[in-house]
Amino acid sequence: MSDTLRDQLLGLGFKPAPKPERKPDTRRDGRPQGRPAQARPQAGNKPGNNPAPAGRPAHAGKSAHGGPQGARKPRSQEDIDLAKAYAIRAQREKDERIEAERQKQEEARLRREAKAKLDELIKDKGLNDPNADIARHFPYGGKIKRIYVTADQLKALNAGQLGVLQQNGRYLLVTAELLAEAEAIFAPAVALKVDPDAPAGDDPYADPMYQVPDDLVW
């Protein structure tokens, strides 16, 4: 359009046509060039909602029974009664062991006291003769033991007038009266006590004819 025609139109009240607005260049994806692409939120993933980790089932917070995780199945009355029975039995066995140990210690204490009292009773009262040459054998502790006596002591021993006590591995010849006192204090110490009224067959070692040679090992 020439300037003359343009001036004439302007004079008639026409306004000039507006210039077209320049649009920015765009990429193929329709976003303006130069601006970083923003990640679109996935469906259902709104701000504040944390998606469940991959591989974790949606019901991970519940137990296999459908209840909250960690919840246990309530025990039946039968299970409770059985547990109580086990607890009572265990306590009873424990008490029995404690009582048995207590009795064992008490017996050991009484034994020590009795032996100490016996040692005091028979101190320096043994009748063993260093010149005795007759071996008198007798059973004691499941074995055959022997003590050397004189001929007179052998007769008194077989008549029940003397007896034999065991003291710390030694065998002491004592009177019948002392033997009775020692038996009342600590009976296991009595090694040989002859009943004069008993048949001779009850003690085959009473007769000198049954003496065993000294060189024979029993």
Side-chain angles (χ1 to χ4, degrees), residues 109-127:
R109 183 186 67 81
L110 295 176
R111 186 181 182 91
R112 289 193 301 268
E113 292 179 355
K115 291 183 68 175
K117 188 175 181 180
L118 176 64
D119 291 343
E120 187 66 24
L121 174 66
I122 63 179
K123 183 178 180 180
D124 300 328
K125 294 181 181 179
L127 303 177

Side-chain angles (χ1 to χ4, degrees), residues 20-186:
E21 184 179 357
R22 183 178 180 182
K23 297 181 180 180
D25 297 337
T26 58
R27 298 180 182 178
R28 293 182 178 180
D29 55 2
R31 291 193 298 270
Q33 186 176 7
R35 296 182 61 184
Q38 296 181 354
R40 295 182 179 180
Q42 298 179 0
N45 187 16
K46 297 182 180 179
N49 293 339
N50 295 328
R56 182 177 178 182
H59 60 279
K62 298 184 179 181
S63 64
H65 298 285
Q69 186 176 9
R72 296 182 179 179
K73 181 180 179 181
R75 295 190 301 175
S76 64
Q77 186 62 37
E78 182 180 357
D79 294 337
I80 296 175
D81 294 342
L82 186 60
K84 289 182 178 179
Y86 280 136
I88 294 173
R89 178 180 177 181
Q91 184 63 40
R92 182 172 64 251
E93 292 177 350
K94 180 180 179 181
D95 294 341
E96 291 175 352
R97 289 194 300 269
I98 294 176
E99 179 62 20
E101 182 63 23
R102 188 194 66 79
Q103 291 181 359
K104 183 179 179 180
Q105 294 179 359
E106 179 67 13
E107 291 174 358
R109 183 186 67 81
L110 295 176
R111 186 181 182 91
R112 289 193 301 268
E113 292 179 355
K115 291 183 68 175
K117 188 175 181 180
L118 176 64
D119 291 343
E120 187 66 24
L121 174 66
I122 63 179
K123 183 178 180 180
D124 300 328
K125 294 181 181 179
L127 303 177
N128 299 60
D129 190 339
N131 299 319
D133 56 356
I134 301 176
R136 175 61 161 89
H137 292 81
F138 55 93
Y140 179 72
K143 297 181 180 180
I144 300 299
K145 305 296 182 178
R146 65 184 175 183
I147 185 172
Y148 285 95
V149 296
T150 64
D152 292 338
Q153 289 175 338
L154 179 61
K155 293 179 181 179
L157 186 59
N158 292 336
Q161 298 172 359
L162 298 177
V164 179
L165 289 174
Q166 190 275 135
Q167 181 190 32
N168 301 325
R170 298 176 57 232
Y171 296 97
L172 302 178
L173 190 66
V174 298
T175 63
E177 292 77 11
L178 186 60
L179 185 72
E181 293 182 38
E183 185 177 14
I185 295 174
F186 189 58

